[in-house]
Amino acid sequence: MQRRRRGVDVGLILLLSQVFQVGLENIPPVTLGTLALNVFLFLKPLKPLLKVCISVDQGYYQKDWQRLLLAPVHHADDWHLYFNMVSLLWKGIKLERKLGSVLFGYIIAVFSVLIGIVYMVLEFALAGLLNDSSYKMNCAVGFSGVLFALKVLNNHYHPGGTSNIMGIRVSSRYACWLELVAIHLCSPGTSFAGHLAGILVGLMYTLGPLKMLMKAIAGDFPYFNDSARQRDYYSGYSRHPSYPYNTPGDYDTYTGGLTEEEQFERALRNSLHDRGCGRKTSPHSEFGATSQRQLYFRAIAICTEECTRAGLR
């Protein structure tokens, strides 16, 4: 099955608009490169989705291990790509600044593969516990598992915040768990196991042995050291005097102190103002990929409000 195309990819247009509003010079290289790779493979997929999605059947039984590399960077449709990449944009800017580009790139590479492995383990366990072999056939694509892991890292390195999940204020420390349940309840077709795998990998890094194991594999890799990360960050961006992170602790200056959900809403409003009101397009969830329906409904409400103001509805 090929990815569904509906003419103009509105989600892709909104994503590119948001990227240029942030400014290419303000996006760290690994975040920008990861985003560009996902967009490129959306436009020019290496294979049809059924040939890249990861499942127990295809990954483990059929030994098609390349799916571990391909599944995270392919998306079901433009809205799936948009929501995931906007989330990557905010998380990536903040985390890459904190960790340095080399370590952040290392984390992205390891997480992308490891989450697929944990996902297959979870689906295999569910198939055994529930005596339902269909779990072994569940096939997932998309970057959302990695984003859940990055959310855990972001909450670890930037503690103390709060998130608004479907109108419920909750400590950022627990937000990923509430978001996991909320997304599954709102969109039952999404990959609960894929998102859970992301959270578990994030916890394996922050609380478990994964960080030490990665450090051991890297050998004398210096970027696990805080001072080395600082040197990497400042030397890498000193040529951009307008870059808004040249002084410690001024992330709120860039985000206006907004939460990630509020940043999403502002980004969408700004994109609509820049390009006018486009037609409404529904996101779709295929192969267990997340549609984040609650964000979509907010997008529709914002679109309707902006179009009404412009007299275009």
Side-chain angles (χ1 to χ4, degrees):
M1 181 184 294
Q2 295 285 346
R3 183 180 63 236
R4 288 177 288 184
R5 301 301 294 267
R6 303 179 301 277
V8 177
D9 291 319
V10 178
L12 181 59
I13 293 174
L14 286 173
L15 174 60
L16 294 178
S17 175
Q18 180 59 26
V19 167
F20 283 108
Q21 285 178 35
V22 173
L24 293 176
E25 73 280 3
N26 294 330
I27 305 175
V30 173
T31 300
L32 183 60
T34 304
L35 191 151
L37 176 62
N38 278 268
V39 171
F40 176 78
L41 291 178
F42 173 78
L43 296 173
K44 298 290 184 180
L46 296 179
K47 297 179 180 180
L49 288 180
L50 279 177
K51 298 293 185 180
V52 300
C53 62
I54 186 68
S55 68
V56 175
D57 178 65
Q58 295 296 327
Y60 179 69
Y61 290 123
Q62 302 298 326
K63 308 300 181 184
D64 192 358
W65 300 114
Q66 65 177 335
R67 291 172 182 256
L68 291 172
L69 299 175
L70 298 178
V73 291
H74 284 78
H75 289 81
D77 56 35
D78 57 319
W79 283 105
H80 183 206
L81 176 74
Y82 172 71
F83 288 129
N84 279 353
M85 292 301 101
V86 167
S87 182
L88 172 65
L89 188 62
W90 300 120
K91 291 181 177 72
I93 288 175
K94 199 169 185 179
L95 279 173
E96 191 168 347
R97 176 215 174 190
K98 176 71 175 181
L99 301 175
S101 294
V102 177
L103 178 55
F104 184 68
Y106 185 29
I107 288 173
I108 289 288
V110 172
F111 280 16
S112 296
V113 174
L114 186 56
I115 286 169
I117 296 174
V118 175
Y119 167 76
M120 288 192 291
V121 171
L122 290 174
E123 292 285 25
F124 190 89
L126 285 171
L129 289 173
L130 302 177
N131 195 27
D132 185 352
S133 61
S134 67
Y135 285 99
K136 298 179 182 180
M137 308 297 293
N138 287 342
C139 217
V141 294
F143 209 70
S144 55
V146 179
L147 293 172
F148 267 86
L150 293 182
K151 191 177 188 71
V152 174
L153 263 65
N154 186 57
N155 294 337
H156 174 75
Y157 287 112
H158 303 92
T162 59
S163 296
N164 189 324
I165 309 297
M166 299 183 69
I168 302 174
R169 278 285 177 183
V170 61
S171 169
S172 294
R173 182 178 180 182
Y174 306 108
C176 57
W177 295 105
L178 182 57
E179 188 175 341
L180 171 69
V181 175
I183 289 176
H184 186 65
L185 291 177
C186 292
S187 302
T190 59
S191 177
F192 181 87
H195 297 161
L196 178 58
I199 294 176
L200 293 178
V201 169
L203 292 175
M204 287 167 60
Y205 185 88
T206 58
L207 302 177
L210 180 57
K211 182 177 180 179
M212 296 304 298
L213 180 61
M214 290 173 60
K215 185 176 182 180
I217 292 174
D220 295 329
F221 185 59
Y223 291 94
F224 281 93
N225 179 274
D226 289 338
S227 60
R229 292 201 301 265
Q230 290 293 332
R231 289 196 300 271
D232 169 70
Y233 171 74
Y234 286 112
S235 64
Y237 292 99
S238 61
R239 65 181 179 274
H240 297 303
S242 62
Y243 191 68
Y245 300 130
N246 286 335
T247 57
D250 63 350
Y251 181 75
D252 285 347
T253 301
Y254 180 64
T255 64
L258 302 178
T259 65
E260 184 176 327
E261 293 80 10
E262 292 166 337
Q263 292 169 29
F264 167 81
E265 182 170 332
R266 174 172 290 186
L268 183 57
R269 290 184 185 276
N270 290 340
S271 296
L272 289 170
H273 281 306
D274 280 356
R275 59 180 295 274
C277 295
R279 64 182 179 86
K280 300 174 185 177
T281 309
S282 299
H284 299 277
S285 178
E286 296 181 355
F287 312 108
T290 180
S291 65
Q292 298 188 12
R293 188 175 297 177
Q294 67 271 35
L295 291 181
Y296 166 65
F297 287 138
R298 185 184 299 173
I300 291 299
I302 295 171
C303 286
T304 302
E305 178 183 342
E306 296 298 327
C307 290
T308 301
R309 290 178 179 176
L312 298 175
R313 189 174 65 172

